[in-house]
Every structure is written in C-alpha cells, then in structure tokens.
Amino acid sequence: MRKYTNVFDLGNLEIALSEASEIKQDRYKFENLGRHKTCLLIFFNNSLRTRLSTQKAARNLGMDVIVLDVNQGAWKLETERGVVMDGDKSEHLLEAIPVMANYCDIIGVRSFARFENREDDYTEKILNQFIQYSGKPVFSMEAATGHPLQAFADLITINEYKRNQRPKVVLTWAPHPRALPQAVPNSFADFMNEANVDFIITHPEGYELDPVFVRGAHVEYDQQKAFEGADFIYAKNWACPGVTRPEDYGKILCKDMNWMVDATHMSWTNNAFFMHCLPVRRNMIVSDDVIEAPTSLVIPEAANREISATVVLKRMLQAL
Ligand code: CP
C-alpha cells in the first residue's frame, strides 16, 4: 500500500477485517517488520487519539516514530505557490516535504479543512502535495475531507458488536457550537457504503454530504424515521458541505437541539449501540446518559484506532 486516504485503498474489506482481528489477537505479531524504519507523523492540527494510537501502532511494528507539530516549534509553512513570502511564513511546503521525507520511510499527515475555499479542501490540496512530492508512502491522519483511520476503526467496532449479519447503521447529524469539517461523516459513509450493512444518513436539509461519499446511501430527513430499527447510531456534527448552495460551505445552518441524541432518540432504535469518534461535546451531540450507557461504544471505537493504524502501517511496510 503506497497511500491510504479512502476505503478503496484497503481493497477487500473482509480481508482487512480479518487482518485487524489477527492483529488484535497479537498486536506484536509483526514487531520485526518495522525494524530500522521510521514513521513521521505530521500534525497541522490538534489530536489526542490519532497522535497516541498511531504512535502505538508504529511501535507495535517495531518502527521508530518522529512526531512533528507544525505549528509548535517548526517554521511557519507557506502552502500556496506564487505567494511573495514577505510575511510570517519562513518556509514553503514544497521544500519542507522533500526535506522531511529524507528522514523517514512512511509519512502520516493531519491537515483539516480550512473552510476558505471548498475546491482547495475537496481536492485535498495539502495531503496530495505530500503524496506527490515526498516519494514516500503517505497515509491520512484526518485530512480536509476524510478520516479513513477512524472509519476503519469504526468498521472494526461494528463488526465486533453486530448482533445480526447485516445490521442497520444510521449516521446522524447533531448540533455543535462551532463549524466542524465533514471528514469523519464523509469517511464513515465511504466505508459503510462498501460494508455489509444497511446504511442510512439523516440530517437537516442543507447538510447534504458530497455525492462522492453518499453514493447509493438512503438519505432520510426525518430523524425519528431514520432511527427506527437501527442497530448502530453514529452521531457527528458537520458544517454545511456546500453541495446544494456552494456559498454556504462551512457555515452553521442549524442549531436545533432536537437533533441531539438522547434517551428518547435511542428508544426509537433496536436497542442500538451508540458511536462517536470523539472528542464529543456532551449534551450538545449526545446526552450524558446515552454516552455513559452500556450500549455506548465510544471507548472500544477509540481503542480500535490502534488496530486500524497497525493494519495500515503493516501493509505500507510490506510494500516498501
Ligand atoms: N477521533 C480522532 O481522530 O480523535 P483526535 O482528533 O483526538 O485524534
């Protein structure tokens, strides 16, 4: 594997899930694979889970790890070509990428949507520059439009907890005080559309996700109708994706607290499990009682981030 940015990079999901299960049974099984190999993790944005779980995964495989927080201690980076660099940015990404690539074998990048320009975000301008100019395998640790390590961990979790062969999985929008990117819901949809599940997306009108990710999924604007009979509820906020009105890209169109997942919402389901990628704002996205219930999977999901990252890094090491 030379890049990991979406579900299709994983290939057959059943095989990927069986590799995840193999690693979960013995996470050090491939501990010699990464000997004398270095994984560079580059963060343009904050992180708790991704930062820790990806380091742990690399070490499971015997790799050395370097973590760079671009905004803390490195030179400020210019990312646009043609800019006269007479401001506070001392180095251009186009030099920084090949320089950083000298010091490692595999690169992970976290670079969120900036909401300045939909096209820049949706063409994954920053991540693709790493893929194009580093000459090294590159994996997304959440980019502008996708979070495939999270979505793979979510799929692993659903596979572990499902009570029937083809569970009903609902992705629901929920309110949030700040504008958040669409990376997590996009990747979740990307994965669920390829998995053996009945997948429904529910959100207020205006929050339609990009068709590249929605594909054939059923979109239901009535949240209660969407929740009926659900086996898994996956809650997430996202700002307007600008699909129907590009001028609304990145805006908050709705703060309706009736969309928050609480006990009443969960009572509409088939005793569903509750999922969220974390971090989550309690009593905005989900009520205390739902996230603390025995049916909440937020901690197992986070634990599976180590497993999804170990599978991806293992495949990248095997392809070096
Ligand atoms: N879910 C997730 O990616 O968490 P962090 O932002 O803390 O890494």
Side-chain angles (χ1 to χ4, degrees):
M1 186 190 275
R2 290 290 300 179
K3 80 166 182 73
Y4 181 60
T5 63
N6 61 49
V7 69
F8 301 109
D9 293 329
L10 266 189
N12 184 304
L13 286 184
E14 290 306 319
I15 294 173
L17 284 169
S18 98
E19 280 177 55
S21 162
E22 181 186 21
I23 281 166
K24 200 148 181 181
Q25 280 165 40
D26 177 5
R27 59 199 70 203
Y28 304 110
K29 186 168 181 179
F30 301 95
E31 65 186 344
N32 295 321
L33 204 54
R35 190 173 139 77
H36 294 168
K37 301 289 182 209
T38 300
C39 188
L40 173 60
L41 306 179
I42 301 168
F43 289 90
F44 288 84
N45 308 95
N46 294 339
S47 167
L48 186 153
R49 279 143 292 273
T50 305
R51 175 186 302 270
L52 299 182
S53 62
T54 314
Q55 288 186 65
K56 178 68 169 65
R59 294 203 170 104
N60 290 347
L61 297 161
M63 300 188 82
D64 293 321
V65 185
I66 303 172
V67 178
L68 177 70
D69 286 295
V70 171
N71 298 319
Q72 290 168 23
W75 301 110
K76 271 197 165 179
L77 290 175
E78 177 57 63
T79 57
E80 299 299 315
R81 281 189 78 249
V83 169
V84 177
M85 289 173 59
D86 59 356
D88 63 340
K89 292 175 180 164
S90 309
E91 179 150 26
H92 202 287
L93 193 60
L94 292 177
E95 283 79 58
I97 290 172
V99 167
M100 293 188 283
N102 282 322
Y103 310 137
C104 64
D105 301 281
I106 294 174
I107 300 176
V109 181
R110 166 163 285 204
S111 174
F112 289 172
R114 297 176 174 184
F115 288 144
E116 288 165 5
N117 177 321
R118 187 180 196 278
E119 194 188 330
D120 283 358
D121 289 341
Y122 269 75
T123 54
E124 291 289 3
K125 207 169 170 182
I126 304 283
L127 182 65
N128 280 327
Q129 290 191 61
F130 278 91
I131 292 170
Q132 191 175 349
Y133 297 116
S134 71
K136 297 286 158 76
V138 172
F139 64 98
S140 166
M141 297 195 296
E142 186 171 344
T145 64
H147 195 356
L149 284 175
Q150 178 66 53
F152 185 21
D154 296 332
L155 176 65
I156 294 167
T157 310
I158 288 169
N159 193 50
E160 288 172 345
Y161 284 84
K162 68 183 181 187
R163 294 174 292 217
N164 55 52
Q165 268 314 103
R166 193 172 167 86
K168 177 177 173 179
V169 177
V170 178
L171 167 63
T172 182
W173 180 93
H176 196 278
R178 297 179 59 188
L180 297 185
Q182 294 102 41
V184 168
N186 283 344
S187 279
F188 189 71
D190 197 32
F191 272 70
M192 289 304 109
N193 279 319
E194 302 309 310
N196 186 23
V197 301
D198 283 331
F199 181 48
I200 295 192
I201 306 172
T202 184
H203 54 72
E205 290 196 32
Y207 279 92
E208 291 76 16
L209 293 170
D210 194 286
V212 166
F213 302 102
V214 175
R215 301 202 280 276
H218 176 186
V219 177
E220 171 58 66
Y221 295 107
D222 180 332
Q223 194 187 27
Q224 180 166 354
K225 218 164 154 185
F227 273 44
E228 281 165 8
D231 298 299
F232 293 88
I233 297 296
Y234 194 98
K236 186 72 184 79
N237 172 269
W238 61 91
C240 175
V243 169
T244 46
R245 284 170 48 91
E247 63 271 31
D248 285 344
Y249 177 60
K251 288 187 185 163
I252 296 174
L253 305 179
C254 173
K255 285 191 173 176
D256 184 352
M257 292 300 289
N258 290 316
W259 281 80
M260 181 185 80
V261 179
D262 62 14
T264 302
H265 289 68
M266 295 305 281
S267 74
W268 301 331
T269 71
N270 179 28
N271 191 27
F273 290 106
F274 174 81
M275 299 179 73
H276 188 281
C277 62
L278 303 181
V280 70
R281 291 190 185 227
R282 284 177 175 225
N283 305 306
M284 286 293 307
I285 300 272
V286 57
S287 60
D288 288 321
D289 52 350
V290 169
I291 197 168
E292 290 169 4
T295 44
S296 170
L297 297 182
V298 295
I299 305 304
E301 255 181 287
N304 277 332
R305 290 294 306 278
E306 176 188 343
I307 306 303
S308 64
T310 308
V311 172
V312 168
L313 285 172
K314 174 178 86 71
R315 287 188 178 194
M316 288 190 157
L317 285 167
Q318 286 168 332
L320 283 179

Short mmCIF file of all heavy atoms in Angstrom, two decimals, residues 43 46-53 110 112 141-142 147 150 184 234 276-279 302 305, ligand 1:
data_model
loop_
_atom_site.label_atom_id
_atom_site.label_comp_id
_atom_site.label_asym_id
_atom_site.label_seq_id
_atom_site.Cartn_x
_atom_site.Cartn_y
_atom_site.Cartn_z
N PHE A 43 1.51 16.85 12.22
CA PHE A 43 0.22 17.39 12.66
C PHE A 43 0.15 18.89 12.38
O PHE A 43 0.91 19.66 12.95
CB PHE A 43 0.02 17.14 14.16
CG PHE A 43 -0.25 15.70 14.50
CD1 PHE A 43 0.80 14.84 14.79
CD2 PHE A 43 -1.54 15.20 14.51
CE1 PHE A 43 0.56 13.50 15.09
CE2 PHE A 43 -1.78 13.87 14.81
CZ PHE A 43 -0.73 13.01 15.10
N ASN A 46 -4.63 19.81 16.08
CA ASN A 46 -4.58 19.09 17.36
C ASN A 46 -5.08 17.66 17.23
O ASN A 46 -5.83 17.32 16.32
CB ASN A 46 -5.46 19.80 18.40
CG ASN A 46 -4.92 21.17 18.74
OD1 ASN A 46 -3.74 21.44 18.52
ND2 ASN A 46 -5.78 22.02 19.27
N SER A 47 -4.69 16.85 18.21
CA SER A 47 -5.14 15.45 18.22
C SER A 47 -4.83 14.82 19.57
O SER A 47 -3.81 15.13 20.19
CB SER A 47 -4.42 14.67 17.13
OG SER A 47 -4.60 13.28 17.32
N LEU A 48 -5.70 13.93 20.02
CA LEU A 48 -5.39 13.08 21.17
C LEU A 48 -5.29 11.63 20.70
O LEU A 48 -4.24 11.01 20.71
CB LEU A 48 -6.48 13.23 22.24
CG LEU A 48 -6.22 12.51 23.58
CD1 LEU A 48 -6.93 13.21 24.73
CD2 LEU A 48 -6.68 11.06 23.55
N ARG A 49 -6.41 11.08 20.19
CA ARG A 49 -6.47 9.68 19.78
C ARG A 49 -5.51 9.34 18.65
O ARG A 49 -4.78 8.35 18.71
CB ARG A 49 -7.90 9.30 19.34
CG ARG A 49 -8.84 8.98 20.48
CD ARG A 49 -10.24 9.49 20.18
NE ARG A 49 -10.21 10.93 20.19
CZ ARG A 49 -10.38 11.65 21.30
NH1 ARG A 49 -10.63 11.07 22.42
NH2 ARG A 49 -10.30 12.98 21.27
N THR A 50 -5.54 10.15 17.60
CA THR A 50 -4.72 9.83 16.43
C THR A 50 -3.24 9.88 16.77
O THR A 50 -2.45 9.02 16.38
CB THR A 50 -5.06 10.83 15.30
OG1 THR A 50 -6.48 10.78 15.09
CG2 THR A 50 -4.33 10.48 14.02
N ARG A 51 -2.87 10.90 17.52
CA ARG A 51 -1.47 11.07 17.93
C ARG A 51 -0.98 9.85 18.72
O ARG A 51 0.08 9.31 18.46
CB ARG A 51 -1.39 12.33 18.81
CG ARG A 51 -0.05 12.62 19.43
CD ARG A 51 -0.19 13.79 20.37
NE ARG A 51 -0.69 14.97 19.68
CZ ARG A 51 0.09 15.87 19.08
NH1 ARG A 51 1.39 15.74 19.13
NH2 ARG A 51 -0.43 16.90 18.46
N LEU A 52 -1.79 9.40 19.69
CA LEU A 52 -1.34 8.30 20.55
C LEU A 52 -1.48 6.95 19.87
O LEU A 52 -0.56 6.12 19.91
CB LEU A 52 -2.14 8.31 21.87
CG LEU A 52 -1.99 9.59 22.71
CD1 LEU A 52 -2.80 9.45 24.00
CD2 LEU A 52 -0.54 9.88 23.04
N SER A 53 -2.62 6.71 19.24
CA SER A 53 -2.85 5.37 18.67
C SER A 53 -1.93 5.09 17.49
O SER A 53 -1.49 3.94 17.30
CB SER A 53 -4.32 5.22 18.23
OG SER A 53 -4.64 6.15 17.21
N ARG A 110 -1.88 14.99 9.26
CA ARG A 110 -3.18 15.53 9.69
C ARG A 110 -3.27 16.98 9.25
O ARG A 110 -2.46 17.82 9.66
CB ARG A 110 -3.35 15.43 11.21
CG ARG A 110 -4.53 16.27 11.71
CD ARG A 110 -5.01 15.92 13.09
NE ARG A 110 -5.77 14.69 13.08
CZ ARG A 110 -6.69 14.36 13.99
NH1 ARG A 110 -6.97 15.19 14.98
NH2 ARG A 110 -7.33 13.21 13.93
N PHE A 112 -6.57 19.55 8.53
CA PHE A 112 -8.03 19.71 8.44
C PHE A 112 -8.44 20.66 7.31
O PHE A 112 -7.63 21.46 6.83
CB PHE A 112 -8.58 20.31 9.74
CG PHE A 112 -8.54 19.39 10.93
CD1 PHE A 112 -8.87 19.89 12.18
CD2 PHE A 112 -8.19 18.06 10.82
CE1 PHE A 112 -8.85 19.08 13.31
CE2 PHE A 112 -8.17 17.23 11.94
CZ PHE A 112 -8.50 17.75 13.19
N MET A 141 -4.12 11.10 8.44
CA MET A 141 -4.48 11.00 9.87
C MET A 141 -5.65 11.97 10.15
O MET A 141 -5.82 12.43 11.26
CB MET A 141 -3.29 11.36 10.74
CG MET A 141 -2.10 10.41 10.60
SD MET A 141 -0.90 10.61 11.93
CE MET A 141 -0.35 12.28 11.66
N GLU A 142 -6.43 12.23 9.18
CA GLU A 142 -7.58 13.12 9.02
C GLU A 142 -7.14 14.32 8.20
O GLU A 142 -6.38 15.17 8.66
CB GLU A 142 -8.24 13.62 10.31
CG GLU A 142 -9.50 14.42 9.96
CD GLU A 142 -10.39 14.81 11.13
OE1 GLU A 142 -10.28 14.24 12.23
OE2 GLU A 142 -11.23 15.70 10.92
N HIS A 147 -11.33 10.87 7.02
CA HIS A 147 -10.61 10.38 8.20
C HIS A 147 -10.66 8.84 8.14
O HIS A 147 -11.36 8.19 8.92
CB HIS A 147 -11.28 10.92 9.46
CG HIS A 147 -10.44 10.78 10.70
ND1 HIS A 147 -9.21 10.15 10.73
CD2 HIS A 147 -10.67 11.22 11.97
CE1 HIS A 147 -8.73 10.19 11.97
NE2 HIS A 147 -9.59 10.84 12.73
N GLN A 150 -10.07 6.51 11.22
CA GLN A 150 -11.22 6.49 12.12
C GLN A 150 -12.31 5.57 11.56
O GLN A 150 -12.86 4.73 12.27
CB GLN A 150 -11.77 7.91 12.30
CG GLN A 150 -13.00 7.98 13.19
CD GLN A 150 -12.68 7.60 14.63
OE1 GLN A 150 -11.76 8.15 15.23
NE2 GLN A 150 -13.41 6.66 15.20
N VAL A 184 -15.03 13.22 9.03
CA VAL A 184 -15.49 11.99 9.70
C VAL A 184 -16.76 11.44 9.05
O VAL A 184 -16.80 10.26 8.68
CB VAL A 184 -15.64 12.21 11.22
CG1 VAL A 184 -16.38 11.04 11.87
CG2 VAL A 184 -14.27 12.40 11.86
N TYR A 234 -24.55 6.37 14.77
CA TYR A 234 -23.25 7.04 14.70
C TYR A 234 -23.53 8.54 14.61
O TYR A 234 -24.05 9.03 13.60
CB TYR A 234 -22.47 6.58 13.46
CG TYR A 234 -21.01 6.96 13.49
CD1 TYR A 234 -20.05 6.04 13.91
CD2 TYR A 234 -20.58 8.22 13.12
CE1 TYR A 234 -18.70 6.38 13.96
CE2 TYR A 234 -19.24 8.57 13.16
CZ TYR A 234 -18.31 7.64 13.58
OH TYR A 234 -16.97 7.98 13.62
N HIS A 276 -19.48 7.42 18.44
CA HIS A 276 -18.97 8.76 18.08
C HIS A 276 -17.45 8.67 18.07
O HIS A 276 -16.85 7.97 18.90
CB HIS A 276 -19.44 9.82 19.08
CG HIS A 276 -19.10 11.22 18.66
ND1 HIS A 276 -17.84 11.75 18.80
CD2 HIS A 276 -19.86 12.18 18.07
CE1 HIS A 276 -17.84 12.98 18.31
NE2 HIS A 276 -19.06 13.27 17.86
N CYS A 277 -16.82 9.39 17.16
CA CYS A 277 -15.36 9.27 17.01
C CYS A 277 -14.58 9.90 18.16
O CYS A 277 -13.41 9.57 18.34
CB CYS A 277 -14.94 9.91 15.69
SG CYS A 277 -15.31 11.68 15.61
N LEU A 278 -15.19 10.80 18.91
CA LEU A 278 -14.54 11.60 19.96
C LEU A 278 -13.49 12.54 19.34
O LEU A 278 -12.90 12.17 18.33
CB LEU A 278 -13.92 10.72 21.04
CG LEU A 278 -14.85 9.74 21.76
CD1 LEU A 278 -14.07 8.96 22.84
CD2 LEU A 278 -16.06 10.44 22.38
N PRO A 279 -13.22 13.70 19.92
CA PRO A 279 -13.85 14.22 21.12
C PRO A 279 -15.31 14.62 20.86
O PRO A 279 -15.64 15.02 19.75
CB PRO A 279 -13.01 15.47 21.45
CG PRO A 279 -12.50 15.93 20.12
CD PRO A 279 -12.27 14.69 19.32
N ALA A 302 -12.40 4.00 20.09
CA ALA A 302 -11.11 4.68 20.23
C ALA A 302 -9.99 3.65 20.36
O ALA A 302 -8.90 3.81 19.79
CB ALA A 302 -11.13 5.62 21.42
N ARG A 305 -8.63 2.31 17.17
CA ARG A 305 -7.77 3.18 16.35
C ARG A 305 -6.35 2.60 16.28
O ARG A 305 -5.67 2.72 15.27
CB ARG A 305 -7.76 4.60 16.92
CG ARG A 305 -9.08 5.36 16.74
CD ARG A 305 -9.35 5.62 15.27
NE ARG A 305 -8.22 6.28 14.67
CZ ARG A 305 -7.99 7.61 14.74
NH1 ARG A 305 -8.87 8.38 15.33
NH2 ARG A 305 -6.92 8.12 14.17
N1 CP B 1 -11.16 10.77 16.61
C1 CP B 1 -9.98 11.42 16.47
O1 CP B 1 -9.38 11.47 15.39
O2 CP B 1 -9.53 11.99 17.63
P1 CP B 1 -8.34 13.05 17.71
O3 CP B 1 -8.78 14.27 16.95
O4 CP B 1 -8.17 13.31 19.18
O5 CP B 1 -7.12 12.44 17.10
#
